[in-house]
Amino acid sequence: MKMLKKITLISALFSTGLIAPSLISVIPNVNLATAYADSETKTKRVPALREKVYSQLARAQKLADDGQVAEGLAALDSVKERVSSMNSYEVAMMYNFYGFIYYNENKLDKAIESFKAVIAEESIPESLRLSTTFSLAQLAMANNDFESTLSFLDQWKEVNTQAPKSNFYILKAQAQYQLKKYNDAINNINTAIDLVEADGELPKENWLVLQRAIYYSLNQPKKVADVLEKMVTLYDKPQYWIQLGGMYGEIGAEKKQLATFETAKQRGFIKSKSDYMQLAQVYLMNALPFKAAEALDNGIKAGVVEDSAKNLTFIAEAFVQAREDKKSLPFFLAATEKVEHGNLDQRLAEIYLNLEKYDEAADHARLALNKGDLTFESNAYVALGMAQFNLQNFDASILAFEQAEKHKKSANLAKQWIKYVKREKVHAETLKQALL
């Protein structure tokens, strides 16, 4: 069901924060006091962070923390002027704090440059190298540099001695998704979700959003539906119910689609123009035309669906399918006011014929022919001929059917009607003479 397939997957990624991590989640505040203390208890041989350098860096940190960013950077610049007298660990900590300030100022390029300088130093704690490299991967992701994101993650994995956790696989999947490496991305997102579920935890909502988007890009609608079923169960948001209904239509599960949309309607989840349109289409395709008409009419009444000729005609035709011709009339009439062609007046002529309102049928058949631009002009002549016959305007009826006879589509039908009308005309005249 193609019309229900258009799920806004890409916009969902951005709205749930998949593309750019938050500032706080990427770079934690630099705690120089802790770094100074740790310099005495490192597990590998690392130069000490001397008191003099520590105090200068601490001063820069306090200025930045107090909102004096320019002064904090100036203090770091003063430290940098004496970089030749500093050891590797001191240089790394200086660049680390440059990176923190630049990141807080949303200057990602300068932050990345600074943190790259941190890991360029040889003699630094492995914990600092690991955390900084991973932060660089996150920064590259935030900066839309997806190739660098993957490169930093590879560097991190080379240094890391423990099994990667879920956040590693999530970040990798995000970058691969952006690079359209969907097969690699799905393996990584699935690994991350498997890891947390194995620990009895629930996957984060935005992880499932990403997993759904990747399966969608891989053109695997059944997998998309599976993920959406989980999202409905775990997070129960209106948009997930609507999207699940759409995917059920895509995979041909019409009964599940109907049940899903019915549930969404009962729970008050049908709110947008798209929601009402999809609900109406689902009802119509499940042979529930009356509900289809009501659904779209409710959307118009709610002010979210336009009362356009197309939508009004949809409602009218749905009522006709439901054998509620009378209910279709106001919608057809409203629709005729919004178009210049005569096709809708032609439909009104046919509906009035069904309702045995022959004057109205004749009027709208003539209106249709006067407006012109008809898709099937012959139908208007046929409707006019039938209306005139029932009004016992036999000559006018014959004239209308003679016009219909000129059209190949209705020629045979018109010939039969002409014979019939002429017979009935003779019969009526004979009866009239007998009554004189």
Side-chain angles (χ1 to χ4, degrees), residues 26-42:
V26 175
I27 309 297
N29 199 343
V30 177
N31 191 324
L32 286 175
T34 302
Y36 180 67
D38 286 348
S39 70
E40 304 301 325
T41 58
K42 293 178 281 292

Side-chain angles (χ1 to χ4, degrees), residues 241-431:
W241 283 90
I242 302 300
Q243 291 164 8
L244 178 58
M247 290 314 301
Y248 279 147
E250 179 65 18
I251 64 177
E254 286 84 3
K255 295 303 179 186
K256 285 186 175 181
Q257 181 186 36
L258 177 60
T260 301
F261 271 101
E262 190 66 47
T263 301
K265 175 190 170 187
Q266 291 175 4
R267 297 186 62 189
F269 294 163
I270 306 297
K271 294 180 179 179
S272 71
K273 173 184 175 180
S274 174
D275 296 345
Y276 280 106
M277 298 288 283
Q278 290 187 70
L279 178 63
Q281 289 287 350
V282 169
Y283 280 142
L284 196 63
M285 286 185 295
N286 281 274
L288 297 168
F290 191 91
K291 281 195 166 188
E294 281 192 326
L296 203 58
D297 187 29
N298 287 336
I300 292 174
K301 289 175 179 175
V304 295
V305 176
E306 295 176 349
D307 61 341
S308 64
K310 182 178 179 181
N311 291 335
L312 292 168
T313 302
F314 177 97
I315 296 170
E317 293 290 4
F319 275 131
V320 171
Q321 285 189 40
R323 299 183 180 179
E324 293 283 354
D325 288 1
K326 199 169 184 180
K327 287 184 180 293
S328 75
L329 291 175
F331 297 97
F332 273 128
L333 288 167
T336 62
E337 301 297 322
K338 297 178 181 292
V339 296
E340 294 183 2
H341 59 74
N343 288 304
L344 296 179
D345 283 291
Q346 177 191 304
R347 284 295 287 135
L348 275 165
E350 295 164 352
I351 301 302
Y352 278 123
L353 277 173
N354 291 340
L355 293 171
E356 299 182 358
K357 294 188 174 184
Y358 303 119
D359 282 318
E360 291 87 344
D363 288 342
H364 282 281
R366 283 190 289 265
L367 271 172
L369 291 165
N370 289 335
K371 289 182 179 179
D373 197 18
L374 297 173
T375 305
F376 300 107
E377 186 181 58
S378 59
N379 290 355
Y381 282 115
V382 169
L384 179 58
M386 294 174 70
Q388 296 287 27
F389 169 76
N390 282 284
L391 292 169
Q392 295 193 337
N393 297 326
F394 299 118
D395 290 335
S397 176
I398 291 169
L399 286 172
F401 282 121
E402 285 176 346
Q403 292 299 317
E405 190 180 8
K406 295 177 183 179
H407 296 266
K408 184 177 180 180
K409 179 177 178 290
S410 58
N412 290 333
L413 176 65
K415 286 177 183 178
Q416 294 172 15
W417 266 100
I418 290 171
K419 290 179 182 179
Y420 178 68
V421 175
K422 285 181 176 179
R423 246 190 348 261
E424 291 298 309
K425 178 184 177 184
V426 171
H427 177 71
E429 288 176 348
T430 301
L431 182 61

Side-chain angles (χ1 to χ4, degrees), residues 1-5 219 221 245-253 257:
M1 182 178 162
K2 298 297 181 186
M3 65 181 4
L4 297 185
K5 185 176 180 181
N219 195 26
M247 290 314 301
Y248 279 147
E250 179 65 18
I251 64 177
Q257 181 186 36

Side-chain angles (χ1 to χ4, degrees), residues 126-281:
E126 287 304 301
S127 59
L128 177 60
R129 190 179 303 281
L130 279 168
S131 62
T132 304
T133 305
F134 199 84
S135 293
L136 277 165
Q138 293 177 296
L139 281 169
M141 186 71 193
N143 210 29
N144 296 324
D145 186 353
F146 310 118
E147 292 285 4
S148 291
T149 300
L150 296 178
S151 176
F152 286 127
L153 287 173
D154 288 341
Q155 292 177 43
W156 179 87
K157 194 173 181 182
E158 287 178 8
V159 179
N160 185 42
T161 58
Q162 299 179 354
K165 297 187 182 298
S166 58
N167 60 345
F168 168 82
Y169 294 106
I170 289 295
L171 190 55
K172 200 162 191 178
Q174 289 173 345
Q176 289 165 337
Y177 174 77
Q178 294 299 319
L179 293 169
K180 300 184 178 180
K181 297 179 178 180
Y182 301 128
N183 288 312
D184 293 331
I186 200 62
N187 289 333
N188 282 299
I189 187 67
N190 288 347
T191 299
I193 291 173
D194 289 345
L195 283 172
V196 297
E197 289 182 340
D199 290 336
E201 299 176 5
L202 298 179
K204 293 180 181 179
E205 183 178 357
N206 61 348
W207 297 7
L208 295 176
V209 171
L210 177 60
Q211 186 185 40
R212 178 196 61 185
I214 298 170
Y215 276 130
Y216 189 87
S217 298
L218 286 168
N219 195 26
Q220 296 185 27
K222 178 62 172 66
K223 292 287 189 180
V224 175
D226 291 341
V227 176
L228 281 165
E229 286 175 354
K230 183 183 288 188
M231 295 171 76
V232 162
T233 301
L234 296 180
Y235 297 103
D236 194 29
K237 288 188 176 179
Q239 66 266 32
Y240 299 152
W241 283 90
I242 302 300
Q243 291 164 8
L244 178 58
M247 290 314 301
Y248 279 147
E250 179 65 18
I251 64 177
E254 286 84 3
K255 295 303 179 186
K256 285 186 175 181
Q257 181 186 36
L258 177 60
T260 301
F261 271 101
E262 190 66 47
T263 301
K265 175 190 170 187
Q266 291 175 4
R267 297 186 62 189
F269 294 163
I270 306 297
K271 294 180 179 179
S272 71
K273 173 184 175 180
S274 174
D275 296 345
Y276 280 106
M277 298 288 283
Q278 290 187 70
L279 178 63
Q281 289 287 350

